[in-house]
Amino acid sequence: MHVHTARFGRIEVEEDRVITFPRGIYGFEHCRRFFLHREPFRGRPVEAWLAWLQSVEDGDVAFLVMDPAVAFPTYRPAVPKADLETVGLAAQADGALLVIAVVPPDTRDITVNLRAPLLVNPAERLGVQVILEDDAYPLRQPLSSAMSKGQARMIG
Amino acid sequence: MLVLTRRVDESIMLGDDIEIKVVDVRGGRGNYSVRIGIEAPRHITVLRKEVYDEVIAENRKASLQVDERALDRILEAIEEVKKGEPRRDGP
């Protein structure tokens, strides 16, 4: 299938790479189908923990997402059971967490949304944006506050 | 919007299984707050509207980043995290 995107032009995507968000992403309810896109950047491949989550339905919509483990290795949000059910997961550990980054011009102002992570079931290719009920993790966590190096990987 | 008047300890039902109850009213002189109890099935997400609105605003901000330098900057920031360098102040 071909997707016309604002950032990357026309991309060929295999159907089995599509991740369906049955409830959409907050504020973007018209987008249900996404895929992870890693455009080679300045001639080198983009690292595995970082990707664009590109909408299939709306070429203008893409989020820069990362594996939180690379910067916040102790991040362990408790995903509500209802959200696990949305993506067909029996256990949270079988899913993959992603967080959305907001990247202003100054690198010191980069924040990641730890309050509303994305949970993906890689086997079923289903995703959901979770809003954590407790406020232990902020909506705008500065990336510069990350202290240690984590082992990060991400679904393909 | 449907507007109903309820007293403390009175409820409203939304469908058969969501109950919203006025638990307490505090304050006075034009500055009241209302404590509300909600009983709903587990699959219903209950959030303060501000949180919901903020998530939408954050998502919109994130999606507006169209320039490719966003990648450059996040890679640069993570390099610093990995090096464990303290945050630099000023240029």
Side-chain angles (χ1 to χ4, degrees):
Chain A
M1 137 183 83
H2 299 296
V3 180
H4 292 273
T5 71
R7 294 168 184 77
F8 319 107
R10 195 173 110 138
I11 304 179
E12 175 72 33
V13 189
E14 300 80 39
E15 196 64 42
D16 61 6
R17 283 183 53 211
V18 171
I19 303 168
T20 302
F21 285 70
R23 295 186 349 219
I25 286 185
Y26 289 100
F28 296 87
E29 281 75 8
H30 63 298
C31 302
R32 300 287 152 123
R33 286 155 52 80
F34 292 83
F35 60 95
L36 290 169
H37 179 65
R38 291 184 185 86
E39 184 95 331
F41 186 63
R42 301 202 171 155
R44 62 189 159 99
V46 167
E47 301 183 40
W49 50 266
L50 184 67
W52 289 95
L53 185 69
Q54 170 68 53
S55 164
V56 171
E57 289 108 332
D58 185 341
D60 289 343
V61 175
F63 304 94
L64 199 50
V65 296
M66 57 181 277
D67 181 340
V70 73
F72 303 99
T74 60
Y75 180 60
R76 298 278 184 282
V79 174
K81 198 160 170 265
D83 294 309
L84 295 178
E85 283 167 11
T86 299
V87 294
L89 280 175
Q92 188 180 329
D94 297 333
L97 279 172
L98 301 173
V99 288
I100 299 177
V102 174
V103 187
D106 189 329
T107 54
R108 289 167 301 184
D109 298 332
I110 297 174
T111 62
V112 291
N113 186 345
L114 298 184
R115 181 76 189 268
L118 308 173
L119 179 70
V120 174
N121 177 347
E124 301 290 331
R125 308 213 59 90
L126 287 171
V128 65
Q129 185 170 28
V130 179
I131 303 183
L132 301 172
E133 285 180 0
D134 82 74
D135 55 6
Y137 292 116
L139 265 153
R140 287 175 286 274
Q141 175 75 45
L143 194 55
S144 58
S145 69
M147 292 308 290
S148 50
K149 179 180 171 180
Q151 291 300 314
R153 64 183 176 83
M154 206 149 103
I155 50 171
Chain B
M1 184 186 283
L2 171 67
V3 179
L4 300 169
T5 302
R6 301 274 67 197
R7 294 172 184 280
V8 169
D9 282 340
E10 290 183 342
S11 293
I12 298 165
M13 296 299 294
L14 303 183
D16 294 333
D17 49 12
I18 301 175
E19 180 175 0
I20 297 173
K21 186 182 204 172
V22 178
V23 174
D24 195 11
V25 179
R26 295 168 180 177
R29 295 175 191 266
N31 183 21
Y32 294 96
S33 56
V34 181
R35 282 174 71 77
I36 294 169
I38 298 149
E39 223 164 293
R42 286 194 65 119
H43 68 273
I44 301 289
T45 305
V46 179
L47 289 170
R48 289 180 174 84
K49 184 155 189 290
E50 306 89 275
V51 179
Y52 185 86
D53 290 343
E54 277 189 290
V55 170
I56 290 174
E58 259 339 83
N59 283 350
R60 294 226 166 101
K61 249 197 295 177
S63 172
L64 284 174
Q65 299 160 175
V66 282
D67 74 306
E68 62 162 34
R69 288 192 43 76
L71 260 185
D72 227 3
R73 290 196 294 271
I74 199 164
L75 290 169
E76 190 186 308
I78 285 290
E79 275 312 303
E80 289 202 13
V81 167
K82 284 182 173 173
K83 278 188 277 179
E85 278 183 3
R87 198 181 130 154
R88 281 195 299 266
D89 289 312

